[in-house]
Amino acid sequence: MKMQNSVAIIGLGYIGLPVACLCAIYGYKVYGADIDKNKIDLIKKGTCPIKDDYLEDQFKKVKGKLNVTDNLKEAIKDADIVIICVPTPVDKNYTPDLTALRSATASVSEAMKENTLIIIESTIFPGTTEEIVLPILEESNVKNFYLAHCPERIDPGNKNFTLERIPRVIGGINKDSSIKAYKFYEKIINAAIIELSSVKAAEATKIMENTFRDINIAFINEMAKSFDKAGIDIMEVIKGANTKPFAFKAHYPGVGVGGHCIPIDPYYLISKAKQIGFDHDFLILARKINESMPVYTVELLENKLKKLDESIEGAKIGVLGLTYKADVDDVRESPALKVIDILKEKKAELFIFDPYVKEKSNVKDLNELLEKSDYIILVTDHKEFKNMDLDKLKENKIKIIIDGRNCLDKEKIKGLKIDYHGIGR
Ligand code: SAJ
């Protein structure tokens, strides 16, 4: 069998770019395609378009080896393997939006050569590969191709489980497709590759693992609201429960659930299940709980202001963090954006700083934010905020701090006679 040694990656974002680098590192000829011309220009200039230590390191190793273009068919036409890593978001009604996937698949259908292996890494609901992707590929003049799903698994910022160290599951539309996909991932992943019996099983695996995370976060967020009423410190209780060596998996309450995976993926399953007559009442409730957290967090501050006979309108509020989780530059679905919208509706005066997103910050650094603010809402537990000198809160006469990630030293702040409240603590 001819060695398959060229790979085209469609979509060079948080998933596609790391995959492209990994393929180049393992000796594949790599074509990369993305509709974002700016991203293509940055990569051609040797600049990594995503701020992430691991990815920037990988990117440096393959400088000059990524043949990138904004012309998808150009990238696809000579490739033995095509990996589709395009976004699969939801629209404003939380309905899956497969526009990018359909468009990328259409380009593959028109441009692929004989015996191409097509792999979908984007997160999709069970049935997508066979019901949506396959029919588009079957319109191609090329009749011999292979098709599999290998759901992306990446944890941005995680230095232990980098891409090549995360086990993967694979499902093909037929045995030959599974085998070809298996052999490919075996070459670039230094972890277990698990071949499932069907492509639907692979699609369902990713959705389940991320939905599992969303419902567990919703559980602990509800517990936090309950403990706030009861005056119990949830972080101490989680620590206590975590001493049980089995059957408890700690999750942590916070200002909300962001990112391109966890808040989105449950809607892919909810939507598909509804089509076939099943209502995921529990998953929908969990989403409602997590989506309520930004409002809950602002209410914590507003209730304290009311007790001081202060109005939130015109209040000078510092918002610490814009990204959806610590030490990344990604603001997609970030609860910070929802907190800011709510505060703007309430006509507060906002000072916003995120060291990873300076272009969206309206003060130059943390010091300026502290100088100008009377109250603080911490949304993202960046290292810089976790390690800040808490005495500066006192020096800058901060009156109230809402710790949206329970990451600051509560006792120390209370000792400074600053009104502290976390989420459930
Ligand atoms: N969050 C909480 N409480 C928690 C955990 C997370 O509020 O206990 C919030 C985070 O602040 C963030 C959101 O939920 O806003 C998502 O957090 P995450 O750690 O799940 O971050 P992601 O979106 O980068 O998740 C990725 C996911 N990877 C893929 O979907 C391919 C997810 O599957 C992983 O479980 C996760 O990494 C991880 O950290 O393991």
Side-chain angles (χ1 to χ4, degrees):
M1 185 189 304
K2 179 179 160 305
M3 167 70 181
Q4 293 199 308
N5 55 19
S6 60
V7 185
I9 316 283
I10 311 300
L12 296 172
Y14 290 87
I15 308 304
L17 190 56
V19 175
C21 293
L22 206 52
C23 289
I25 286 169
Y26 281 95
Y28 283 93
K29 182 170 175 46
V30 176
Y31 304 97
D34 199 294
I35 56 170
D36 180 343
K37 287 186 171 47
N38 177 44
K39 187 179 287 181
I40 295 297
D41 291 345
L42 281 172
I43 294 172
K44 280 181 175 168
K45 280 193 296 200
T47 306
C48 182
I50 296 170
K51 266 186 270 178
D52 175 287
D53 296 349
Y54 161 76
L55 179 54
E56 286 170 298
D57 183 47
Q58 294 285 84
F59 186 81
K60 259 192 228 110
K61 288 177 193 163
V62 299
K63 213 168 231 181
K65 290 187 183 165
L66 302 181
N67 306 288
V68 293
T69 171
D70 60 350
N71 179 333
L72 273 63
K73 292 178 197 166
E74 187 58 33
I76 293 162
K77 66 185 178 56
D78 300 327
D80 300 312
I81 301 168
V82 179
I83 308 177
I84 298 180
C85 304
V86 296
T88 46
V90 289
D91 65 20
K92 60 183 181 341
N93 304 317
Y94 297 113
T95 306
D97 174 1
L98 295 177
T99 312
L101 179 65
R102 289 174 189 276
S103 167
T105 305
S107 297
V108 175
S109 184
E110 287 161 36
M112 70 178 166
K113 64 183 185 182
E114 285 294 328
N115 296 319
T116 299
L117 166 61
I118 300 112
I119 299 166
I120 312 293
E121 282 214 3
S122 306
T123 304
I124 47 183
F125 53 75
T128 307
T129 303
E130 290 157 308
E131 297 163 19
I132 294 175
V133 173
L134 184 55
I136 297 172
L137 293 176
E138 285 171 333
E139 286 164 20
S140 171
N141 299 328
V142 166
K143 295 306 168 197
N144 305 316
F145 58 84
Y146 303 89
L147 176 59
H149 177 53
C150 177
E152 55 95 355
R153 272 182 181 161
I154 200 160
D155 181 21
N158 187 327
K159 305 243 185 302
N160 299 324
F161 285 104
T162 50
L163 180 62
E164 71 272 24
R165 296 196 49 218
I166 302 172
R168 303 294 287 267
V169 296
I170 283 172
I173 57 165
N174 52 42
K175 186 66 181 167
D176 287 347
S177 298
S178 293
I179 292 169
K180 274 182 166 290
Y182 185 96
K183 286 189 174 356
F184 165 67
Y185 281 99
E186 227 183 6
K187 290 198 187 69
I188 65 166
I189 300 289
N190 298 325
I193 310 290
I194 300 96
E195 182 189 339
L196 300 180
S197 67
S198 70
V199 67
K200 272 199 182 74
E203 293 163 329
T205 297
K206 171 62 187 288
I207 295 286
M208 183 158 86
E209 62 198 35
N210 280 5
T211 305
F212 169 85
R213 193 159 174 81
D214 194 49
I215 60 165
N216 277 282
I217 297 167
F219 159 72
I220 206 73
N221 279 334
E222 180 168 282
M223 294 298 282
K225 289 181 174 180
S226 165
F227 286 8
D228 266 337
K229 290 266 180 246
I232 298 169
D233 183 330
I234 197 162
M235 296 303 277
E236 185 184 17
V237 175
I238 291 168
K239 203 163 150 214
N242 235 1
T243 57
K244 184 177 178 185
F246 46 83
F248 179 78
K249 178 156 175 49
H251 285 72
Y252 297 92
V255 58
V257 175
H260 68 295
C261 309
I262 309 305
I264 304 292
D265 297 354
Y267 287 116
Y268 269 69
L269 180 57
I270 291 164
S271 166
K272 180 62 181 176
K274 195 164 185 65
Q275 277 174 21
I276 55 178
F278 182 78
D279 289 327
H280 272 288
D281 300 336
F282 178 44
L283 305 191
I284 291 166
L285 175 62
R287 283 277 76 235
K288 281 200 175 69
I289 292 169
N290 287 336
E291 282 155 11
S292 76
M293 296 315 286
V295 170
Y296 181 76
T297 303
V298 172
E299 275 170 3
L300 287 174
L301 176 61
E302 198 162 19
N303 293 339
K304 287 178 179 294
L305 289 173
K306 278 181 189 147
K307 284 185 187 147
L308 298 173
D309 259 342
E310 298 267 0
S311 162
I312 199 161
E313 184 168 343
K316 297 181 188 312
I317 303 172
V319 177
L320 292 185
L322 282 165
T323 63
Y324 79 92
K325 75 174 187 179
D327 307 327
V328 297
D329 70 347
D330 191 349
V331 298
R332 288 177 297 175
E333 305 298 320
S334 174
L337 305 180
K338 298 178 176 77
V339 164
I340 288 167
D341 284 348
I342 297 162
L343 290 170
K344 280 182 177 167
E345 269 165 39
K346 293 177 181 288
K347 299 189 175 54
E349 187 178 359
L350 300 185
F351 304 102
I352 300 162
F353 177 63
D354 188 312
Y356 287 80
V357 199
K358 290 188 173 162
E359 67 280 10
K360 290 188 166 68
S361 304
N362 67 359
V363 290
K364 68 178 182 314
D365 57 23
L366 177 58
N367 286 334
E368 185 184 349
L369 180 140
L370 293 175
E371 281 159 19
K372 293 183 172 176
S373 307
D374 292 328
Y375 315 104
I376 301 273
I377 295 185
L378 182 142
V379 179
T380 315
D381 45 338
H382 288 311
K383 301 193 277 295
E384 178 173 342
F385 300 153
K386 282 201 298 196
N387 304 331
M388 81 168 110
D389 173 2
L390 296 172
D391 292 328
K392 284 194 175 168
L393 295 173
K394 191 75 186 164
E395 287 158 26
N396 287 284
K397 300 183 178 51
I398 300 296
K399 299 179 189 119
I400 302 170
I401 183 157
I402 305 294
D403 181 358
R405 292 293 177 199
N406 292 338
C407 64
L408 299 174
D409 183 336
K410 174 174 94 171
E411 297 317 320
K412 162 112 187 184
I413 292 171
K414 290 189 170 213
L416 294 169
K417 303 282 181 278
I418 296 169
D419 190 347
Y420 171 98
H421 207 294
I423 309 293
R425 114 190 256 238

